[in-house]
Each structure stands twice: as structure tokens, then as C-alpha cells.
Amino acid sequence: MIEDVEDGDTYVCRPHGPGEIRSALVGRSLTRTHRRGKAMWFETDDGGPDLGLHLGMAGRIVFDQPPAPRSWDRFALVFADGGRLALRDKRRLGRAVLDPDLSNLGPDAAMVGRDAFRRRVGRGTAPIKARLLDQSVVAGVGNLLADETLWRAGLSPRREAGSLDTDELDRLRRALRAATRDATAKGGVHTGRLIVGRKRREPCPSCGAALERATVGGRTTFWCPREQPEAPVTRRQAA
DNA sequence: AGGTCTGTTCAGCT
DNA sequence: TAGCTGAACAGACC
């Protein structure tokens, strides 16, 4: 049972005022947990509101850890048995909210079926990377995972989304599922093969070519110009 | 010391 | 409508 709620950070808890989440949750228990993409939320008992948590760019959920220095714990639930669940987030881009609005959130990127993926992702004139990052198209792909996925699929981030054919979209979906699985197993998207060494400007881990760097979809983007060609390439080369 | 970068999202504009 | 830009935050890094 929730005995206390630390909701004093008015930026992370916006648009709720101090004490608002607290009064809605004290005395209730969490009954179910959910996640879709980067959104997570909890149901509460007795018809209480849901509690939504988002990690922003650098937040984490910590359980039963000593409170963070400098109050980096931006929100916390204190349970009657002494347990404490905190949203630890230096940057304050995380979020705690009652009854989160999930109506503009697409299906989970690693769960969406083949046909829905083709329909949702393979349209529009924006670059494919921007399409992947759009949480209303599919939920859960951030900047690093997008780069890793496109690299594995051998697709340029700059390709127009609507220009991808069915084979390319299926390849993209397979790469996304694999990249997500690997990131989960290894503890984060920063463990991706393309991502490690990105800062140091290391070459393509697969072919050794110098990686390209540019802003695509409004985000810093790395890709291998050799393995992720701008124009679709006929794989069947004349012998 | 100061400038730049960052695992995200949202409002506001064309 | 779809797509792009910049702002919100604050620490890490050079």
C-alpha cells in the first residue's frame, strides 16, 4: 500500500500541483503494471487513477535505493512495508502523471505485426528515421535504437519512408526486433554495435568505412554510406 | 570557464 | 495534414 508520495517537483509532475498525485494515491495499492514503447503505467485498486511514469532521456526507476544526492529523485512512492520506488532523473525530462493519455501512442515497436508495420511505417515523405522516431507511428524507438536498426537493415536513414518496398520494410522490422532484443539483454541501446564508439568517430564495425554523420529527423545521426546507400541498390550485381 | 552535446517530447509554425 | 524547428531541463564532457 502506498503510504506516501513525493511529488513536489512541479516540472516533472506537471500539470499536477504539489500534493495532487499524493492525495490521489495515498492509501491505494498498485495492482497491474504496463508498458508500451517508452511509456509505463500502473493501475491502482478501488477505481483509483492510473499512474504514468516516463523516463525522459536519462531517467531510471530505482527501488529501495537510498535517496539520490541533490534530490535527483524527482518523484517517489513510499510503500507501507518500507519499500520505495523512485524516478531518478538528473535532467528532469522524465514525467509522472495521473491517467496518462496514451491515445497518440502507436503499437509497441517490437510487438507490432508485419502487416501493421508495413502500413504504418512505410508511408509519408519524411525520412525513414523520422518515421521510426514518431511515437504515434510505433512506440519505443529513440535516437540510438533508430540508428542501430537502420544500420542492421542496411537502409539509409535519409530514405523517404514511403519509398521503401515490402521487402525493405520487412527487413527493417526484423532488424528492429533483433536490435531491441539485444539492447534489452545487454542493458541498453548504447550497447549497440554501431553505437559503441560513435563518439570516438570509429569506422563501421562491419565494413570499416568511415561513418557519415548528419542531422536527420532533427537528431544527430550516424550511418555507413557503403552499407546503407542513399538510393536503393540492386543486390543482384552482374557477375 | 564557456561552449557543445545529450537515451525525449511538445508547441507552434509553414 | 505532415513535417520541421526550437524550447524545456541540467549534467557531462572537452
Side-chain angles (χ1 to χ4, degrees), chain A residues 114-167:
Chain A
R114 186 193 64 177
D115 291 351
F117 186 89
R118 290 177 181 170
R119 276 198 309 275
R120 301 180 75 91
V121 177
R123 47 172 301 197
T125 58
I128 183 61
K129 174 164 178 182
R131 196 83 192 147
L132 282 176
L133 291 174
D134 186 337
Q135 303 298 298
S136 68
V137 174
V138 288
V141 183
N143 191 40
L144 298 183
L145 185 61
D147 280 4
E148 177 74 14
T149 296
L150 288 162
W151 176 70
R152 292 192 189 203
L155 296 168
S156 166
R158 295 215 264 219
R159 288 278 305 282
E160 189 176 306
S163 78
L164 271 61
D165 66 28
T166 303
D167 286 344

Side-chain angles (χ1 to χ4, degrees), chain A residues 2 5 13 16 21-22 25 30 32-34 39-44 48-54 75-77 79 85 95-100:
Chain A
I2 298 168
V5 178
C13 297
H16 304 294
I21 301 181
R22 183 177 190 282
L25 295 184
L30 305 182
R32 304 191 66 189
T33 68
H34 303 270
M40 75 182 88
W41 67 100
F42 307 88
E43 290 179 38
T44 61
D50 290 355
L51 170 66
L53 295 179
H54 195 291
F75 178 85
L77 301 175
F79 297 96
L85 183 157
R95 194 83 188 270
V97 64
L98 295 172
D99 289 322

